[in-house]
Amino acid sequence: MHHFLSMLFSLLVIIGLQVSVQATEKRPERSANRHYKSELTVTNGKTWGSWGHKEMCPSGTFAAGFSLKVEGPLYGQKYDNTALNGIRLHCITMIESILHSYHDYSTVRSEAGSWGRWTDIKWCPSGFLTAFVLRVEKSQGDGDDTAANNIWFKCGGGSVLQGDGTHWGDWGDWSQTCQGAICGIKTRLEEPQGTGDDTALNDVRMYCCN
């Protein structure tokens, strides 16, 4: 018994040293060529703008949290009320997820508009992000044609995280659910149009890794 306890203590010391070393290392911000298993899409995204580059969590990590770049209502202005302009995924390892440790993470995002501010990070209580749904405003004709305004994510542990976006538009259907976890993102972004319609983020794709 004494021998077993000694071995267990030694193992814990080694793990503790490894975690300590990892906490001081800076992870690469992305892994663009990472292999993914499947792609998640929704049906209510809009067609304005162009798709940006695919951005993937560093190898060995998965998205357990997210934050949004949101421009609030521009009261007093007749036209542009762009809301959701960017989405960031915050990626951790499986060990960190089990330990509920969110101190050492990597951030990835695809194209994002320049308007608005980033919200606080929302983390899954357990597990990783596995599915999403968009809130989208339909075309308004002239002036404000805001599209994506908010996003919800499902977590592997069964909980749902609601983003701090805005209330315009309607919620669509949920994407399919990852057999694994979300590990990457790509967004469709409309560039500034000058006056009137300055819609930014219009559609989102997520990537799943095992």
Side-chain angles (χ1 to χ4, degrees):
M1 182 68 176
H2 177 72
H3 179 67
F4 172 77
L5 291 175
S6 298
M7 290 179 61
L8 181 61
F9 177 75
S10 299
L11 180 61
L12 290 174
V13 169
I14 292 172
I15 293 175
L17 288 174
Q18 288 178 339
V19 170
S20 176
V21 170
Q22 289 175 356
T24 62
E25 293 178 350
K26 181 175 176 60
R27 289 183 183 149
E29 287 301 303
R30 59 184 182 177
S31 180
N33 295 323
R34 181 177 179 181
H35 175 74
Y36 62 91
K37 184 71 174 179
S38 61
E39 181 177 318
L40 303 181
T41 61
V42 290
T43 59
N44 62 333
K46 297 303 179 183
T47 59
W48 301 302
S50 303
W51 286 102
H53 297 292
K54 178 173 79 266
E55 300 289 345
M56 305 295 288
C57 293
S59 181
T61 69
F62 306 87
F66 74 99
S67 54
L68 306 178
K69 191 170 191 179
V70 178
E71 181 182 7
L74 302 177
Y75 296 113
Q77 295 193 26
K78 183 178 179 181
Y79 295 112
D80 176 25
N81 270 339
T82 302
L84 182 57
N85 283 285
I87 302 171
R88 278 181 175 157
L89 300 180
H90 302 281
C91 313
I92 61 175
T93 65
M94 183 71 72
I95 293 295
E96 289 163 337
S97 174
I98 293 171
L99 297 176
H100 303 291
S101 175
Y102 307 119
H103 302 294
D104 183 27
Y105 61 87
S106 297
T107 297
V108 294
R109 69 166 175 83
S110 189
E111 303 298 320
S114 58
W115 308 284
R117 297 181 179 180
W118 289 100
T119 63
D120 293 334
I121 303 173
K122 294 198 172 184
W123 294 101
C124 287
S126 62
F128 299 100
L129 305 179
T130 59
F132 75 101
V133 61
L134 280 182
R135 187 171 200 167
V136 177
E137 183 179 5
K138 296 178 181 178
S139 174
Q140 304 299 300
D142 293 334
D144 177 22
D145 268 342
T146 302
N149 283 286
N150 206 354
I151 190 168
W152 285 6
F153 282 96
K154 285 183 181 178
C155 298
S159 58
V160 175
L161 301 180
Q162 181 174 346
D164 294 322
T166 55
H167 62 275
W168 298 301
D170 301 311
W171 291 102
D173 296 325
W174 283 93
S175 71
Q176 293 182 320
T177 300
C178 283
Q179 299 301 312
I182 290 175
C183 60
I185 185 172
K186 180 163 70 172
T187 54
R188 187 168 200 159
L189 191 74
E190 182 178 5
E191 296 297 327
Q193 304 298 302
T195 58
D197 176 21
D198 268 342
T199 302
L201 197 154
N202 285 286
D203 202 355
V204 183
R205 292 176 182 170
M206 300 285 176
Y207 298 92
C208 302
C209 297
N210 288 340

